[in-house]
Amino acid sequence: MQTLAQIAIYIINSLGMLYITFVLLRFLLQLVRADYYNPISKSIAKFTSPLLIPLRKIIPGLFGIDLAALVLAVILEALLIQVIGFIGGLGFISPLTLLIWSVVALMGLAISLYFIAVIVVFIASWVAPYSHNPALTLMRQLIEPLIAPFRRIVPPIGGLDLSSMVFFIALQIVRVFLFPKLAGLVGIPSLFLFMF
């Protein structure tokens, strides 16, 4: 692949993944009932609303789950993969393959978001345990529903909460060992592996 094509892929992927990350974050934050009045939540909502509001007229929510945001994330991911596929010389990708790759790519993005959030919250618990930073508050709200089951299994030892460390190890196992197997299983070409 020519250098110019690689640069184009890098720029398109960076901008596309940034917007897709905001859409996925909006979905995840609504899913965990994070504070909507947090300034970061409001910014994410404002940034994603132009594409999401028209889609909500077609796709209603279900049991409090914002299906429109999830569908928008899949559509945008599919478009991004197809554009990168064109630039990379793959041509048209079949709709079913595109759908599968998009869902797997979004799973990879969600795993990466949780990975970053756990690291930041874990470090902040040592450096600034009582911080009320809006980003840190949202990260705590995002990971809490997933860490709660680990808290039941691993009780605090001497006032030290090890559940987030156990969750981090479990997330790392998924991220390093299981997710690459899934990507290989669905046949995602190496051209797209940098997206995960």
PDB file of all heavy atoms in Angstrom, residues 124-160:
ATOM      1  N   ALA A 124      -6.313   7.139  40.010  1.00  0.00           N
ATOM      2  CA  ALA A 124      -6.916   8.265  40.747  1.00  0.00           C
ATOM      3  C   ALA A 124      -7.271   7.876  42.173  1.00  0.00           C
ATOM      4  O   ALA A 124      -7.233   8.715  43.081  1.00  0.00           O
ATOM      5  CB  ALA A 124      -8.140   8.777  40.006  1.00  0.00           C
ATOM      6  N   SER A 125      -7.630   6.599  42.390  1.00  0.00           N
ATOM      7  CA  SER A 125      -7.973   6.178  43.751  1.00  0.00           C
ATOM      8  C   SER A 125      -6.763   6.249  44.681  1.00  0.00           C
ATOM      9  O   SER A 125      -6.915   6.364  45.888  1.00  0.00           O
ATOM     10  CB  SER A 125      -8.544   4.763  43.741  1.00  0.00           C
ATOM     11  OG  SER A 125      -7.549   3.814  43.442  1.00  0.00           O
ATOM     12  N   TRP A 126      -5.579   6.216  44.113  1.00  0.00           N
ATOM     13  CA  TRP A 126      -4.361   6.339  44.918  1.00  0.00           C
ATOM     14  C   TRP A 126      -3.901   7.796  44.997  1.00  0.00           C
ATOM     15  O   TRP A 126      -3.472   8.262  46.036  1.00  0.00           O
ATOM     16  CB  TRP A 126      -3.238   5.489  44.321  1.00  0.00           C
ATOM     17  CG  TRP A 126      -3.463   4.031  44.521  1.00  0.00           C
ATOM     18  CD1 TRP A 126      -4.168   3.192  43.707  1.00  0.00           C
ATOM     19  CD2 TRP A 126      -3.018   3.238  45.607  1.00  0.00           C
ATOM     20  NE1 TRP A 126      -4.183   1.927  44.216  1.00  0.00           N
ATOM     21  CE2 TRP A 126      -3.467   1.920  45.396  1.00  0.00           C
ATOM     22  CE3 TRP A 126      -2.275   3.497  46.752  1.00  0.00           C
ATOM     23  CZ2 TRP A 126      -3.208   0.882  46.267  1.00  0.00           C
ATOM     24  CZ3 TRP A 126      -2.007   2.460  47.619  1.00  0.00           C
ATOM     25  CH2 TRP A 126      -2.485   1.161  47.381  1.00  0.00           C
ATOM     26  N   VAL A 127      -3.988   8.501  43.876  1.00  0.00           N
ATOM     27  CA  VAL A 127      -3.459   9.864  43.806  1.00  0.00           C
ATOM     28  C   VAL A 127      -4.450  10.892  44.339  1.00  0.00           C
ATOM     29  O   VAL A 127      -4.083  11.778  45.107  1.00  0.00           O
ATOM     30  CB  VAL A 127      -3.077  10.210  42.338  1.00  0.00           C
ATOM     31  CG1 VAL A 127      -2.583  11.633  42.228  1.00  0.00           C
ATOM     32  CG2 VAL A 127      -2.034   9.248  41.820  1.00  0.00           C
ATOM     33  N   ALA A 128      -5.703  10.788  43.895  1.00  0.00           N
ATOM     34  CA  ALA A 128      -6.729  11.764  44.301  1.00  0.00           C
ATOM     35  C   ALA A 128      -8.032  11.033  44.611  1.00  0.00           C
ATOM     36  O   ALA A 128      -8.986  11.100  43.834  1.00  0.00           O
ATOM     37  CB  ALA A 128      -6.932  12.779  43.193  1.00  0.00           C
ATOM     38  N   PRO A 129      -8.088  10.318  45.724  1.00  0.00           N
ATOM     39  CA  PRO A 129      -9.256   9.475  46.004  1.00  0.00           C
ATOM     40  C   PRO A 129     -10.574  10.234  46.179  1.00  0.00           C
ATOM     41  O   PRO A 129     -11.631   9.679  45.977  1.00  0.00           O
ATOM     42  CB  PRO A 129      -8.873   8.750  47.293  1.00  0.00           C
ATOM     43  CG  PRO A 129      -7.805   9.571  47.909  1.00  0.00           C
ATOM     44  CD  PRO A 129      -7.102  10.261  46.791  1.00  0.00           C
ATOM     45  N   TYR A 130     -10.519  11.497  46.535  1.00  0.00           N
ATOM     46  CA  TYR A 130     -11.745  12.257  46.780  1.00  0.00           C
ATOM     47  C   TYR A 130     -12.011  13.289  45.691  1.00  0.00           C
ATOM     48  O   TYR A 130     -12.756  14.237  45.899  1.00  0.00           O
ATOM     49  CB  TYR A 130     -11.695  12.927  48.156  1.00  0.00           C
ATOM     50  CG  TYR A 130     -11.450  11.931  49.254  1.00  0.00           C
ATOM     51  CD1 TYR A 130     -10.227  11.869  49.902  1.00  0.00           C
ATOM     52  CD2 TYR A 130     -12.439  11.015  49.611  1.00  0.00           C
ATOM     53  CE1 TYR A 130      -9.989  10.930  50.898  1.00  0.00           C
ATOM     54  CE2 TYR A 130     -12.209  10.068  50.606  1.00  0.00           C
ATOM     55  CZ  TYR A 130     -10.980  10.044  51.245  1.00  0.00           C
ATOM     56  OH  TYR A 130     -10.754   9.117  52.214  1.00  0.00           O
ATOM     57  N   SER A 131     -11.421  13.083  44.531  1.00  0.00           N
ATOM     58  CA  SER A 131     -11.581  14.029  43.430  1.00  0.00           C
ATOM     59  C   SER A 131     -13.006  13.990  42.887  1.00  0.00           C
ATOM     60  O   SER A 131     -13.621  12.934  42.776  1.00  0.00           O
ATOM     61  CB  SER A 131     -10.599  13.685  42.304  1.00  0.00           C
ATOM     62  OG  SER A 131     -10.852  14.492  41.186  1.00  0.00           O
ATOM     63  N   HIS A 132     -13.514  15.153  42.532  1.00  0.00           N
ATOM     64  CA  HIS A 132     -14.841  15.260  41.935  1.00  0.00           C
ATOM     65  C   HIS A 132     -14.740  15.765  40.501  1.00  0.00           C
ATOM     66  O   HIS A 132     -15.642  16.447  40.015  1.00  0.00           O
ATOM     67  CB  HIS A 132     -15.731  16.189  42.769  1.00  0.00           C
ATOM     68  CG  HIS A 132     -15.994  15.653  44.138  1.00  0.00           C
ATOM     69  ND1 HIS A 132     -16.786  14.544  44.355  1.00  0.00           N
ATOM     70  CD2 HIS A 132     -15.548  16.047  45.358  1.00  0.00           C
ATOM     71  CE1 HIS A 132     -16.825  14.287  45.648  1.00  0.00           C
ATOM     72  NE2 HIS A 132     -16.084  15.180  46.285  1.00  0.00           N
ATOM     73  N   ASN A 133     -13.640  15.421  39.841  1.00  0.00           N
ATOM     74  CA  ASN A 133     -13.450  15.779  38.442  1.00  0.00           C
ATOM     75  C   ASN A 133     -14.577  15.151  37.611  1.00  0.00           C
ATOM     76  O   ASN A 133     -14.887  13.975  37.784  1.00  0.00           O
ATOM     77  CB  ASN A 133     -12.079  15.270  37.982  1.00  0.00           C
ATOM     78  CG  ASN A 133     -11.802  15.606  36.541  1.00  0.00           C
ATOM     79  OD1 ASN A 133     -12.432  15.071  35.637  1.00  0.00           O
ATOM     80  ND2 ASN A 133     -10.849  16.485  36.347  1.00  0.00           N
ATOM     81  N   PRO A 134     -15.211  15.912  36.709  1.00  0.00           N
ATOM     82  CA  PRO A 134     -16.341  15.375  35.932  1.00  0.00           C
ATOM     83  C   PRO A 134     -15.975  14.126  35.112  1.00  0.00           C
ATOM     84  O   PRO A 134     -16.775  13.187  35.038  1.00  0.00           O
ATOM     85  CB  PRO A 134     -16.730  16.535  35.009  1.00  0.00           C
ATOM     86  CG  PRO A 134     -16.174  17.753  35.641  1.00  0.00           C
ATOM     87  CD  PRO A 134     -14.980  17.328  36.426  1.00  0.00           C
ATOM     88  N   ALA A 135     -14.782  14.106  34.524  1.00  0.00           N
ATOM     89  CA  ALA A 135     -14.369  12.942  33.726  1.00  0.00           C
ATOM     90  C   ALA A 135     -14.199  11.724  34.620  1.00  0.00           C
ATOM     91  O   ALA A 135     -14.633  10.616  34.283  1.00  0.00           O
ATOM     92  CB  ALA A 135     -13.071  13.238  32.975  1.00  0.00           C
ATOM     93  N   LEU A 136     -13.588  11.919  35.765  1.00  0.00           N
ATOM     94  CA  LEU A 136     -13.365  10.829  36.704  1.00  0.00           C
ATOM     95  C   LEU A 136     -14.694  10.302  37.254  1.00  0.00           C
ATOM     96  O   LEU A 136     -14.884   9.088  37.390  1.00  0.00           O
ATOM     97  CB  LEU A 136     -12.453  11.306  37.835  1.00  0.00           C
ATOM     98  CG  LEU A 136     -11.815  10.259  38.721  1.00  0.00           C
ATOM     99  CD1 LEU A 136     -11.032   9.242  37.897  1.00  0.00           C
ATOM    100  CD2 LEU A 136     -10.894  10.914  39.726  1.00  0.00           C
ATOM    101  N   THR A 137     -15.611  11.203  37.528  1.00  0.00           N
ATOM    102  CA  THR A 137     -16.938  10.803  38.007  1.00  0.00           C
ATOM    103  C   THR A 137     -17.647   9.933  36.971  1.00  0.00           C
ATOM    104  O   THR A 137     -18.221   8.894  37.306  1.00  0.00           O
ATOM    105  CB  THR A 137     -17.789  12.054  38.321  1.00  0.00           C
ATOM    106  OG1 THR A 137     -17.109  12.837  39.301  1.00  0.00           O
ATOM    107  CG2 THR A 137     -19.163  11.674  38.825  1.00  0.00           C
ATOM    108  N   LEU A 138     -17.598  10.344  35.695  1.00  0.00           N
ATOM    109  CA  LEU A 138     -18.225   9.556  34.639  1.00  0.00           C
ATOM    110  C   LEU A 138     -17.563   8.191  34.486  1.00  0.00           C
ATOM    111  O   LEU A 138     -18.243   7.190  34.284  1.00  0.00           O
ATOM    112  CB  LEU A 138     -18.159  10.299  33.303  1.00  0.00           C
ATOM    113  CG  LEU A 138     -19.242  11.323  33.037  1.00  0.00           C
ATOM    114  CD1 LEU A 138     -19.113  11.888  31.630  1.00  0.00           C
ATOM    115  CD2 LEU A 138     -20.624  10.760  33.248  1.00  0.00           C
ATOM    116  N   MET A 139     -16.241   8.151  34.586  1.00  0.00           N
ATOM    117  CA  MET A 139     -15.535   6.868  34.476  1.00  0.00           C
ATOM    118  C   MET A 139     -15.929   5.933  35.604  1.00  0.00           C
ATOM    119  O   MET A 139     -16.127   4.740  35.386  1.00  0.00           O
ATOM    120  CB  MET A 139     -14.024   7.087  34.461  1.00  0.00           C
ATOM    121  CG  MET A 139     -13.502   7.650  33.180  1.00  0.00           C
ATOM    122  SD  MET A 139     -11.715   7.780  33.227  1.00  0.00           S
ATOM    123  CE  MET A 139     -11.450   9.022  32.005  1.00  0.00           C
ATOM    124  N   ARG A 140     -16.048   6.478  36.797  1.00  0.00           N
ATOM    125  CA  ARG A 140     -16.489   5.648  37.938  1.00  0.00           C
ATOM    126  C   ARG A 140     -17.898   5.104  37.692  1.00  0.00           C
ATOM    127  O   ARG A 140     -18.180   3.939  37.960  1.00  0.00           O
ATOM    128  CB  ARG A 140     -16.460   6.465  39.231  1.00  0.00           C
ATOM    129  CG  ARG A 140     -15.076   6.700  39.778  1.00  0.00           C
ATOM    130  CD  ARG A 140     -15.143   7.438  41.109  1.00  0.00           C
ATOM    131  NE  ARG A 140     -13.823   7.771  41.580  1.00  0.00           N
ATOM    132  CZ  ARG A 140     -13.430   8.984  41.934  1.00  0.00           C
ATOM    133  NH1 ARG A 140     -14.274   9.997  41.887  1.00  0.00           N
ATOM    134  NH2 ARG A 140     -12.204   9.204  42.353  1.00  0.00           N
ATOM    135  N   GLN A 141     -18.782   5.971  37.216  1.00  0.00           N
ATOM    136  CA  GLN A 141     -20.159   5.545  36.951  1.00  0.00           C
ATOM    137  C   GLN A 141     -20.204   4.510  35.826  1.00  0.00           C
ATOM    138  O   GLN A 141     -21.047   3.617  35.838  1.00  0.00           O
ATOM    139  CB  GLN A 141     -21.024   6.754  36.580  1.00  0.00           C
ATOM    140  CG  GLN A 141     -21.261   7.683  37.741  1.00  0.00           C
ATOM    141  CD  GLN A 141     -21.963   8.977  37.334  1.00  0.00           C
ATOM    142  OE1 GLN A 141     -22.087   9.302  36.165  1.00  0.00           O
ATOM    143  NE2 GLN A 141     -22.424   9.724  38.332  1.00  0.00           N
ATOM    144  N   LEU A 142     -19.306   4.633  34.870  1.00  0.00           N
ATOM    145  CA  LEU A 142     -19.267   3.709  33.734  1.00  0.00           C
ATOM    146  C   LEU A 142     -18.824   2.311  34.155  1.00  0.00           C
ATOM    147  O   LEU A 142     -19.414   1.313  33.753  1.00  0.00           O
ATOM    148  CB  LEU A 142     -18.327   4.261  32.653  1.00  0.00           C
ATOM    149  CG  LEU A 142     -18.225   3.485  31.355  1.00  0.00           C
ATOM    150  CD1 LEU A 142     -19.559   3.470  30.624  1.00  0.00           C
ATOM    151  CD2 LEU A 142     -17.150   4.100  30.467  1.00  0.00           C
ATOM    152  N   ILE A 143     -17.793   2.228  34.994  1.00  0.00           N
ATOM    153  CA  ILE A 143     -17.248   0.911  35.338  1.00  0.00           C
ATOM    154  C   ILE A 143     -17.912   0.265  36.561  1.00  0.00           C
ATOM    155  O   ILE A 143     -17.809  -0.947  36.736  1.00  0.00           O
ATOM    156  CB  ILE A 143     -15.718   0.964  35.548  1.00  0.00           C
ATOM    157  CG1 ILE A 143     -15.349   1.822  36.750  1.00  0.00           C
ATOM    158  CG2 ILE A 143     -15.014   1.402  34.288  1.00  0.00           C
ATOM    159  CD1 ILE A 143     -13.879   1.780  37.116  1.00  0.00           C
ATOM    160  N   GLU A 144     -18.603   1.055  37.363  1.00  0.00           N
ATOM    161  CA  GLU A 144     -19.180   0.516  38.607  1.00  0.00           C
ATOM    162  C   GLU A 144     -20.101  -0.688  38.392  1.00  0.00           C
ATOM    163  O   GLU A 144     -19.984  -1.678  39.112  1.00  0.00           O
ATOM    164  CB  GLU A 144     -19.893   1.623  39.388  1.00  0.00           C
ATOM    165  CG  GLU A 144     -20.447   1.177  40.717  1.00  0.00           C
ATOM    166  CD  GLU A 144     -19.397   0.554  41.642  1.00  0.00           C
ATOM    167  OE1 GLU A 144     -18.238   1.010  41.637  1.00  0.00           O
ATOM    168  OE2 GLU A 144     -19.745  -0.397  42.357  1.00  0.00           O
ATOM    169  N   PRO A 145     -21.017  -0.671  37.412  1.00  0.00           N
ATOM    170  CA  PRO A 145     -21.881  -1.846  37.238  1.00  0.00           C
ATOM    171  C   PRO A 145     -21.119  -3.126  36.899  1.00  0.00           C
ATOM    172  O   PRO A 145     -21.571  -4.228  37.206  1.00  0.00           O
ATOM    173  CB  PRO A 145     -22.804  -1.451  36.074  1.00  0.00           C
ATOM    174  CG  PRO A 145     -22.794   0.028  36.070  1.00  0.00           C
ATOM    175  CD  PRO A 145     -21.429   0.432  36.530  1.00  0.00           C
ATOM    176  N   LEU A 146     -19.956  -2.994  36.278  1.00  0.00           N
ATOM    177  CA  LEU A 146     -19.168  -4.180  35.937  1.00  0.00           C
ATOM    178  C   LEU A 146     -18.263  -4.621  37.088  1.00  0.00           C
ATOM    179  O   LEU A 146     -17.941  -5.798  37.202  1.00  0.00           O
ATOM    180  CB  LEU A 146     -18.324  -3.916  34.685  1.00  0.00           C
ATOM    181  CG  LEU A 146     -19.124  -3.704  33.399  1.00  0.00           C
ATOM    182  CD1 LEU A 146     -18.200  -3.411  32.236  1.00  0.00           C
ATOM    183  CD2 LEU A 146     -19.982  -4.911  33.089  1.00  0.00           C
ATOM    184  N   ILE A 147     -17.862  -3.681  37.917  1.00  0.00           N
ATOM    185  CA  ILE A 147     -16.992  -4.031  39.045  1.00  0.00           C
ATOM    186  C   ILE A 147     -17.804  -4.575  40.228  1.00  0.00           C
ATOM    187  O   ILE A 147     -17.302  -5.386  41.004  1.00  0.00           O
ATOM    188  CB  ILE A 147     -16.138  -2.814  39.466  1.00  0.00           C
ATOM    189  CG1 ILE A 147     -15.089  -2.541  38.399  1.00  0.00           C
ATOM    190  CG2 ILE A 147     -15.461  -3.041  40.800  1.00  0.00           C
ATOM    191  CD1 ILE A 147     -14.160  -1.402  38.697  1.00  0.00           C
ATOM    192  N   ALA A 148     -19.067  -4.166  40.335  1.00  0.00           N
ATOM    193  CA  ALA A 148     -19.909  -4.580  41.473  1.00  0.00           C
ATOM    194  C   ALA A 148     -19.944  -6.095  41.679  1.00  0.00           C
ATOM    195  O   ALA A 148     -19.797  -6.561  42.819  1.00  0.00           O
ATOM    196  CB  ALA A 148     -21.313  -4.013  41.323  1.00  0.00           C
ATOM    197  N   PRO A 149     -20.120  -6.924  40.624  1.00  0.00           N
ATOM    198  CA  PRO A 149     -20.100  -8.381  40.854  1.00  0.00           C
ATOM    199  C   PRO A 149     -18.761  -8.890  41.395  1.00  0.00           C
ATOM    200  O   PRO A 149     -18.716  -9.816  42.199  1.00  0.00           O
ATOM    201  CB  PRO A 149     -20.369  -8.977  39.472  1.00  0.00           C
ATOM    202  CG  PRO A 149     -21.003  -7.885  38.689  1.00  0.00           C
ATOM    203  CD  PRO A 149     -20.470  -6.606  39.247  1.00  0.00           C
ATOM    204  N   PHE A 150     -17.673  -8.239  40.980  1.00  0.00           N
ATOM    205  CA  PHE A 150     -16.345  -8.639  41.483  1.00  0.00           C
ATOM    206  C   PHE A 150     -16.204  -8.280  42.956  1.00  0.00           C
ATOM    207  O   PHE A 150     -15.513  -8.962  43.700  1.00  0.00           O
ATOM    208  CB  PHE A 150     -15.236  -7.975  40.657  1.00  0.00           C
ATOM    209  CG  PHE A 150     -15.100  -8.534  39.277  1.00  0.00           C
ATOM    210  CD1 PHE A 150     -15.819  -8.008  38.221  1.00  0.00           C
ATOM    211  CD2 PHE A 150     -14.261  -9.612  39.030  1.00  0.00           C
ATOM    212  CE1 PHE A 150     -15.703  -8.522  36.950  1.00  0.00           C
ATOM    213  CE2 PHE A 150     -14.135 -10.142  37.764  1.00  0.00           C
ATOM    214  CZ  PHE A 150     -14.856  -9.599  36.714  1.00  0.00           C
ATOM    215  N   ARG A 151     -16.872  -7.205  43.387  1.00  0.00           N
ATOM    216  CA  ARG A 151     -16.836  -6.803  44.792  1.00  0.00           C
ATOM    217  C   ARG A 151     -17.496  -7.844  45.690  1.00  0.00           C
ATOM    218  O   ARG A 151     -17.094  -8.024  46.825  1.00  0.00           O
ATOM    219  CB  ARG A 151     -17.531  -5.458  44.953  1.00  0.00           C
ATOM    220  CG  ARG A 151     -16.626  -4.482  45.626  1.00  0.00           C
ATOM    221  CD  ARG A 151     -17.206  -3.118  45.773  1.00  0.00           C
ATOM    222  NE  ARG A 151     -16.301  -2.212  45.079  1.00  0.00           N
ATOM    223  CZ  ARG A 151     -16.629  -1.413  44.096  1.00  0.00           C
ATOM    224  NH1 ARG A 151     -17.864  -1.345  43.693  1.00  0.00           N
ATOM    225  NH2 ARG A 151     -15.741  -0.652  43.526  1.00  0.00           N
ATOM    226  N   ARG A 152     -18.519  -8.518  45.149  1.00  0.00           N
ATOM    227  CA  ARG A 152     -19.180  -9.567  45.924  1.00  0.00           C
ATOM    228  C   ARG A 152     -18.280 -10.792  46.073  1.00  0.00           C
ATOM    229  O   ARG A 152     -18.338 -11.498  47.059  1.00  0.00           O
ATOM    230  CB  ARG A 152     -20.496  -9.962  45.251  1.00  0.00           C
ATOM    231  CG  ARG A 152     -21.587  -8.956  45.508  1.00  0.00           C
ATOM    232  CD  ARG A 152     -22.913  -9.402  44.922  1.00  0.00           C
ATOM    233  NE  ARG A 152     -23.420  -8.289  44.128  1.00  0.00           N
ATOM    234  CZ  ARG A 152     -23.646  -8.319  42.820  1.00  0.00           C
ATOM    235  NH1 ARG A 152     -23.450  -9.419  42.136  1.00  0.00           N
ATOM    236  NH2 ARG A 152     -24.101  -7.259  42.198  1.00  0.00           N
ATOM    237  N   ILE A 153     -17.444 -11.045  45.062  1.00  0.00           N
ATOM    238  CA  ILE A 153     -16.549 -12.205  45.086  1.00  0.00           C
ATOM    239  C   ILE A 153     -15.291 -11.913  45.893  1.00  0.00           C
ATOM    240  O   ILE A 153     -14.829 -12.743  46.670  1.00  0.00           O
ATOM    241  CB  ILE A 153     -16.167 -12.616  43.641  1.00  0.00           C
ATOM    242  CG1 ILE A 153     -17.425 -13.019  42.854  1.00  0.00           C
ATOM    243  CG2 ILE A 153     -15.157 -13.744  43.632  1.00  0.00           C
ATOM    244  CD1 ILE A 153     -17.206 -13.140  41.362  1.00  0.00           C
ATOM    245  N   VAL A 154     -14.731 -10.708  45.685  1.00  0.00           N
ATOM    246  CA  VAL A 154     -13.484 -10.332  46.359  1.00  0.00           C
ATOM    247  C   VAL A 154     -13.789  -9.216  47.356  1.00  0.00           C
ATOM    248  O   VAL A 154     -13.824  -8.043  46.989  1.00  0.00           O
ATOM    249  CB  VAL A 154     -12.435  -9.838  45.327  1.00  0.00           C
ATOM    250  CG1 VAL A 154     -11.126  -9.521  46.010  1.00  0.00           C
ATOM    251  CG2 VAL A 154     -12.238 -10.848  44.214  1.00  0.00           C
ATOM    252  N   PRO A 155     -14.005  -9.556  48.610  1.00  0.00           N
ATOM    253  CA  PRO A 155     -14.304  -8.518  49.606  1.00  0.00           C
ATOM    254  C   PRO A 155     -13.052  -7.677  49.900  1.00  0.00           C
ATOM    255  O   PRO A 155     -11.924  -8.119  49.665  1.00  0.00           O
ATOM    256  CB  PRO A 155     -14.718  -9.329  50.839  1.00  0.00           C
ATOM    257  CG  PRO A 155     -14.066 -10.652  50.666  1.00  0.00           C
ATOM    258  CD  PRO A 155     -13.955 -10.896  49.186  1.00  0.00           C
ATOM    259  N   PRO A 156     -13.251  -6.460  50.403  1.00  0.00           N
ATOM    260  CA  PRO A 156     -12.100  -5.612  50.767  1.00  0.00           C
ATOM    261  C   PRO A 156     -11.222  -6.296  51.821  1.00  0.00           C
ATOM    262  O   PRO A 156     -11.732  -6.927  52.741  1.00  0.00           O
ATOM    263  CB  PRO A 156     -12.740  -4.342  51.328  1.00  0.00           C
ATOM    264  CG  PRO A 156     -14.147  -4.357  50.836  1.00  0.00           C
ATOM    265  CD  PRO A 156     -14.521  -5.788  50.639  1.00  0.00           C
ATOM    266  N   ILE A 157      -9.933  -6.170  51.641  1.00  0.00           N
ATOM    267  CA  ILE A 157      -8.976  -6.763  52.584  1.00  0.00           C
ATOM    268  C   ILE A 157      -8.252  -5.624  53.287  1.00  0.00           C
ATOM    269  O   ILE A 157      -7.503  -4.877  52.658  1.00  0.00           O
ATOM    270  CB  ILE A 157      -7.969  -7.677  51.858  1.00  0.00           C
ATOM    271  CG1 ILE A 157      -8.718  -8.811  51.158  1.00  0.00           C
ATOM    272  CG2 ILE A 157      -6.930  -8.218  52.825  1.00  0.00           C
ATOM    273  CD1 ILE A 157      -7.864  -9.640  50.242  1.00  0.00           C
ATOM    274  N   GLY A 158      -8.488  -5.486  54.582  1.00  0.00           N
ATOM    275  CA  GLY A 158      -7.841  -4.427  55.355  1.00  0.00           C
ATOM    276  C   GLY A 158      -8.154  -3.045  54.823  1.00  0.00           C
ATOM    277  O   GLY A 158      -7.290  -2.175  54.805  1.00  0.00           O
ATOM    278  N   GLY A 159      -9.378  -2.834  54.334  1.00  0.00           N
ATOM    279  CA  GLY A 159      -9.765  -1.526  53.803  1.00  0.00           C
ATOM    280  C   GLY A 159      -9.332  -1.300  52.365  1.00  0.00           C
ATOM    281  O   GLY A 159      -9.605  -0.259  51.791  1.00  0.00           O
ATOM    282  N   LEU A 160      -8.647  -2.273  51.772  1.00  0.00           N
ATOM    283  CA  LEU A 160      -8.165  -2.150  50.398  1.00  0.00           C
ATOM    284  C   LEU A 160      -9.109  -2.905  49.459  1.00  0.00           C
ATOM    285  O   LEU A 160      -9.330  -4.098  49.627  1.00  0.00           O
ATOM    286  CB  LEU A 160      -6.744  -2.732  50.304  1.00  0.00           C
ATOM    287  CG  LEU A 160      -5.967  -2.470  49.029  1.00  0.00           C
ATOM    288  CD1 LEU A 160      -5.708  -0.982  48.871  1.00  0.00           C
ATOM    289  CD2 LEU A 160      -4.648  -3.212  49.080  1.00  0.00           C
TER     290      LEU A 160
END
